[in-house]
Amino acid sequence: MFFSAGTYANEITSIHLPEGVLAEKTAVGYVGAFPDILNEAAHRLKRPIALYAGPWVRSQKNAQRIPGAAIAPLTRIPEREDQYVWVEEILPLNLTFLIMSGTNAQYQNMDELKGKRIGILRGSVADAMTRTLPELRKYVVLSSTGESLSKLLQHGRIDGWLIWDIVGLENMRKFNLMPFVKTTFSYTIGPLYLATNPSVSIKEVQLWQHALREMKQDGTIATIIRQHYGNKIVAALKTTPPYSPGTPTEVEYSK
């Protein structure tokens, strides 16, 4: 990935998010936990930031190619490692398996999903992860929207939905599934990051690192998560295994 001097941005000027439940567009801008977290970090840095929400695959491409663009929340998996500059961890990503409340099955781990029809959102971390698990992948049912997966789940076309717990909760709320859906096992995949591209200076990366670490240390991020998702998700943050502090990816920066 290379940016010429003419495209060197220096500062992060835009952050791209997944459209839908994590960043809902309103007349006054995007609302949701992640817009709140990112806007607060920008406020601490005393600068404006433009938020854009779009299809997740497109958002990832925009963050890679547009000078000054960043993306959040993004999982740091091997196939993405060299595509971004990894700024800072924001939250852990906990995957959960959602099933209908009337289901008697008790799934305890991923191995028990073999032979089950697993609903997965296209482009999600569950999509990337199951590509490396052929015994599960052959039973995966991919869809591009949460609405279609929720309908498949309700109509018994899939046995469950493998999804990030926060996105699962948001979808259950959005499609009025809270009384009808329950979670089974849940486990931590790894941290979710703010990531950018090499058009952004090392100094800028360090400034965003400092702001986000300060927000974690003073409890701001936990407070925002509690406001949007309640104490259950906050408890999951506290029981997640610790990760080493995030550091910028070692990349060749353009001059």
Side-chain angles (χ1 to χ4, degrees), residues 3-244:
F3 291 84
S4 66
T7 60
Y8 192 66
N10 193 41
E11 293 184 354
I12 291 175
T13 55
S14 66
I15 301 178
H16 298 259
L17 303 103
E19 66 180 350
V21 294
L22 290 184
E24 183 181 352
K25 192 171 185 178
T26 69
V28 295
Y30 290 103
V31 297
F34 282 93
D36 286 356
I37 290 168
L38 298 169
N39 280 323
E40 173 61 22
H43 174 73
R44 294 185 183 205
L45 293 172
K46 295 182 171 58
R47 67 178 57 158
I49 194 76
L51 300 181
Y52 299 101
W56 194 222
V57 173
R58 184 192 305 166
S59 293
Q60 292 175 55
K61 290 180 179 178
N62 286 340
Q64 293 170 28
R65 67 179 180 82
I66 298 176
I71 187 169
L74 191 67
T75 47
R76 189 172 185 171
I77 54 179
E79 49 262 51
R80 293 175 179 164
E81 183 65 27
D82 297 330
Q83 298 175 349
Y84 301 94
V85 177
W86 300 91
V87 179
E88 179 62 22
E89 301 166 9
I90 302 174
L91 293 174
L93 186 150
N94 297 310
L95 272 189
T96 191
F97 193 59
L98 300 179
I99 61 175
M100 297 302 292
S101 296
T103 305
N104 292 324
Q106 295 294 324
Y107 304 106
Q108 301 296 322
N109 52 55
M110 291 288 286
D111 288 338
E112 294 182 5
L113 300 186
K114 291 176 182 177
K116 303 300 178 182
R117 298 162 300 172
I118 307 166
I120 286 179
L121 194 63
R122 194 182 306 276
S124 67
V125 66
D127 185 6
M129 183 188 71
T130 54
R131 287 186 203 139
T132 66
L133 303 170
E135 290 302 310
L136 291 182
R137 187 69 181 185
K138 59 177 135 181
Y139 302 109
V140 164
V141 177
L142 285 175
S143 180
S144 298
T145 68
E147 182 177 12
S148 60
L149 282 170
S150 68
K151 289 179 178 177
L152 290 173
L153 183 60
Q154 290 179 81
H155 297 152
R157 302 290 298 276
I158 56 176
D159 295 299
W161 184 356
L162 189 63
I163 189 170
W164 174 20
D165 58 358
I166 285 178
V167 174
L169 177 58
E170 287 283 21
N171 275 280
M172 285 190 287
R173 287 175 177 169
K174 182 176 182 180
F175 302 118
N176 299 315
L177 293 175
M178 293 292 282
F180 313 110
V181 174
K182 63 182 179 181
T183 62
T184 57
F185 68 88
S186 179
Y187 70 101
T188 301
I189 294 294
L192 289 159
Y193 279 80
L194 171 68
T196 185
N197 62 55
S199 71
V200 173
S201 70
I202 295 176
K203 180 180 178 180
E204 177 74 353
V205 169
Q206 292 170 340
L207 287 172
W208 279 88
Q209 280 182 335
H210 176 77
L212 289 168
R213 289 178 186 178
E214 183 180 70
M215 289 171 63
K216 285 184 282 187
Q217 291 168 359
D218 66 21
T220 300
I221 289 180
T223 297
I224 291 171
I225 294 299
R226 181 181 292 107
Q227 290 169 347
H228 286 272
Y229 305 117
N231 289 322
K232 183 176 181 180
I233 299 297
V234 173
L237 303 186
K238 294 178 180 178
T239 57
T240 299
Y243 296 96
S244 58

